[in-house]
Amino acid sequence: MTQTPPETNLAPETDQLPHRRLPFWVALAMSVALVGPTLAMSGNGQGLIGTVGKAIPLVFLIGLIGVSLVGYSFVRLTRHLNHAGSAYGLVGGTIGPRAGFFSGFAMLGAYVGFSIGTLALTAAFTNAFIAQLQPDAEDPYQVPWLLVVLVGAGISFLLAGRDIRLLAKILLGIEGIGILAMVILVAVIFAKGGAPTTGVDFSVFTFDGVSASAVLSGVVAAFLSWAGFEACASMGEETDDPRRNIPRALGGTLLLTGVLFVVVMFAQVIGFGTDEAGLAAFQGSGNTLGDLGSTYVGQWFSLLIIFTATVAAFGCHLATSATSGRMLYAFGRDGFGPKALAHIHAETGGPRRATWLVVGVALVVDLICGALDWPDMGTGNDAIDTYFLFAVAGSVCLMVCYLLVEIAAAWFVGAPKFVGVHGGTGKVLGLLLPLLGAVVIAVVLWFNVKDAETWSAAPLLGLYWCAIGLIIALAASGIAKRVGESLSRELELSPPDGRPVS
C-alpha cells in the first residue's frame, strides 16, 4: 500500500477520500449558477456597442466556438485525471509545476478582476432596480454607486470564509427564475417582431458595417460571459463517477449557456433596434434585460429580472472573492506572500484572512475608480465602466489560463508518459482540437492587444498581470515550483492507478 509522504497534502488512502454522493445534475447546476446567465446577459453587451455596433450576436457566436474548444480540453483532461478541480491543477499536473504556477497566477488575476468588477456591477444593477421603481420620473433618484459598493463590501466581509452552500442553493434558485424570465422575454420580442424601426435584422450575424478586427477584439468580452463554466471540475471528489459526470456537466453547461447566450443577445439587439438610436439605448442601459422587460412585458417583469441579475452579480462577487482567497491561501502557505494569508479560520473552516484581503482590494480599487472618475469605457455609467475595465482585464488573464489548458490537453495526449493513462484513444482529435483552440485564443488576444490605444487599456492590464506571473515563474523558480506542486497536491491530481502525474 502506497504511503503518503510526510508533511505533504497528497491524498491519503483511497478509502479515506470524501464519499462520492452528488449526482450529475448538481455539478451541472453549480457550473450554470457560477456562469450567472442573468448577470452575463444583463451587463456584458453594453461595452461592446462602441466597438462592434449591432454585431454583438456574431461576437458571441465566435466566442461560443472558442470556449467550446476550451471546454473540449477540460472534458478530455477531467475524463482521465481524477480530482482535477481547476485549470491550474490540470496544467501543473501535465506540463509541470512552473507552468502550473503561471496558470494559477493568471487565474488569480482573472478572479480578483472579476471580484472588483462584479462589486461595481452590483451597484449599477441596484440603481437600475431603483430607477424601475420610479417609472414616471424623468430623472429618477439614484443612490451614489460607491455607497452601494461600501454596503456590498461590508456584507461580503461578514460572509467571507463561511460555508456558502446554502447561499449557493438560493442563488441557483434565483438564477433558474432568471433563465425562465429570459426565455419568456425572448419569445415576446420575437413574437412582436423586435423594435418597430428595424424589426428582426439577421445582418447582426454578419460583418456588415464592422471590421473583422473589431469583432475579434470583442470576443474577449464574450468569453467573460462563460467565465466559471469549469467550476464543476472542482467537485470531482464529491460527485458520483466523476470521470463520467464531470465531463458531462462541463459539456452540458456549455450547450445550455451557449445556445441561451447567442439567442438572448440576438433578441436584445433587435429588441432595442439596430439603428443608431436603438444601439445608443442599448449602450446606455444600466440593465438591458430589465429595460427590455419593461418595454415588451411590463414594469413588474422588469423588476423581477433586475432583482435576479442584482443578486447574481453580488453572488458572483462572493464566489470570485472566495476562489481568489483560496488561491492566495495556497500561495501564502508555500512562501509566496505573507504567511498570515496561510490561515484557516477555526470556526468557518475557510481562508477568511485571504478572502478579506480580496474583498478589501475590490473595495479600495472601486473607491479609487470612483474618486478619479476613471475609467471611461463609453457606456456613460461609471459603475458599468469600472465593471468592464476589470472584467475585460480579468478575461484576458483567464484566456491566458485557458491557452495553457489547451496546451496541457495536447501535451496530455502527445506526451509518451501519459499514454498509459489515456490509452492512446482519439489521438488525432485530442491533438487537433486543443491546438485549434490555442490558435483561436492566441488570435483573439492579439487582436485585443494590437488595437490598444493607451497603456491603461483593459486588455493590457490583464497582460501586465500575466507578465508578472511569468517573471516570477522564471526568475523565482524555487517558489514557483513549491507553489505549483502544492496546488497540484491540493487538487489530488493523479491518474486512475494512483501514481502522481507530475
Side-chain angles (χ1 to χ4, degrees), residues 422-447:
H422 58 71
T425 58
K427 189 167 185 177
V428 174
L429 279 179
L431 286 171
L432 180 61
L433 292 181
L435 292 177
L436 178 60
V439 171
V440 170
I441 292 175
V443 169
V444 170
L445 283 172
W446 165 248
F447 274 98

Side-chain angles (χ1 to χ4, degrees), residues 301-319:
F301 191 80
S302 173
L303 291 172
L304 174 65
I305 291 183
I306 296 176
F307 176 75
T308 58
T310 303
V311 175
F314 186 65
C316 186
H317 164 72
L318 293 175

Side-chain angles (χ1 to χ4, degrees), residues 259-456:
V259 173
L260 184 69
F261 286 177
V262 174
V263 173
V264 171
M265 273 301 176
F266 175 45
Q268 288 194 84
V269 172
I270 66 170
F272 279 105
T274 56
D275 55 4
E276 185 176 346
L279 295 178
F282 193 134
Q283 186 176 33
S285 173
N287 185 300
T288 55
L289 291 177
D291 287 346
L292 288 171
S294 178
T295 301
Y296 284 87
V297 181
Q299 185 193 11
W300 68 270
F301 191 80
S302 173
L303 291 172
L304 174 65
I305 291 183
I306 296 176
F307 176 75
T308 58
T310 303
V311 175
F314 186 65
C316 186
H317 164 72
L318 293 175
T320 51
S321 297
T323 302
S324 304
R326 192 167 298 276
M327 297 175 72
L328 281 175
Y329 158 77
F331 286 157
R333 180 193 57 204
D334 291 287
F336 181 68
K339 281 293 184 182
L341 297 178
H343 172 75
I344 295 295
H345 189 256
E347 295 181 7
T348 65
R352 192 168 68 170
R353 292 178 184 172
T355 307
W356 275 350
L357 176 60
V358 176
V359 176
V361 168
L363 172 60
V364 170
V365 171
D366 281 341
L367 291 177
I368 291 174
C369 288
L372 298 179
D373 197 23
W374 177 85
D376 181 6
M377 302 292 287
T379 69
N381 186 310
D382 291 343
I384 291 182
D385 282 347
T386 301
Y387 165 69
F388 265 108
L389 178 76
F390 290 100
V392 171
S395 293
V396 168
C397 292
L398 196 62
M399 290 184 73
V400 170
C401 187
Y402 285 168
L403 177 61
L404 288 167
V405 171
E406 299 285 51
I407 296 172
W411 191 291
F412 177 71
V413 173
K417 70 175 180 176
F418 295 119
V419 171
V421 178
H422 58 71
T425 58
K427 189 167 185 177
V428 174
L429 279 179
L431 286 171
L432 180 61
L433 292 181
L435 292 177
L436 178 60
V439 171
V440 170
I441 292 175
V443 169
V444 170
L445 283 172
W446 165 248
F447 274 98
N448 273 269
V449 174
K450 79 178 187 68
D451 292 330
E453 297 179 353
T454 65
W455 67 269
S456 60

